[in-house]
Amino acid sequence: MADERRVPEPTELVYPARSSWLPLLVAAGLVALGVSIFKGLPYAVVGAVVFLIALRRWTVETREDLDRLPRRQRLTTAVIPAEPLRRPGTDS
């Protein structure tokens, strides 16, 4: 009886994203561009360079990660045992 209720192992694979500093660098570049409104042109130049380089690298890394994913997976569904929510004879 216990063997009938066992859920089979999943066959789908999970591919979590790698951690990266690039989103932080993109945000820092945008902050430097915002600060340049009050502080001057050097902040704008540095912010724009940091922003563009980090955004480009982030895009390339994302594309490389997506290219590594398999195009097709064999999908199966697990059979979930049907159990009543309440036991017969109880009203609570």
Side-chain angles (χ1 to χ4, degrees), residues 5 80-92:
R5 299 183 73 179
I80 300 174
E83 295 184 21
L85 295 175
R86 297 184 205 168
R87 293 180 184 232
T90 59
D91 292 331
S92 57

Side-chain angles (χ1 to χ4, degrees), residues 61-71:
E61 278 189 12
T62 302
R63 188 179 311 129
E64 289 170 356
D65 287 345
L66 289 175
D67 288 341
R68 280 188 225 136
L69 294 176
R71 295 293 174 219

Side-chain angles (χ1 to χ4, degrees), residues 30-72:
L30 287 174
V31 167
L33 283 171
V35 167
S36 71
I37 295 171
F38 303 105
K39 291 292 186 177
L41 186 62
Y43 288 96
V45 172
V46 171
V49 169
V50 169
F51 172 75
L52 291 174
I53 291 173
L55 184 64
R56 174 69 179 150
R57 187 66 206 143
W58 192 11
T59 305
V60 169
E61 278 189 12
T62 302
R63 188 179 311 129
E64 289 170 356
D65 287 345
L66 289 175
D67 288 341
R68 280 188 225 136
L69 294 176
R71 295 293 174 219
R72 294 186 183 266

Side-chain angles (χ1 to χ4, degrees), residues 8-13 73-79:
E9 292 292 321
T11 57
E12 295 86 8
L13 300 175
Q73 287 190 30
R74 190 187 86 193
L75 300 177
T76 60
T77 57
V79 178

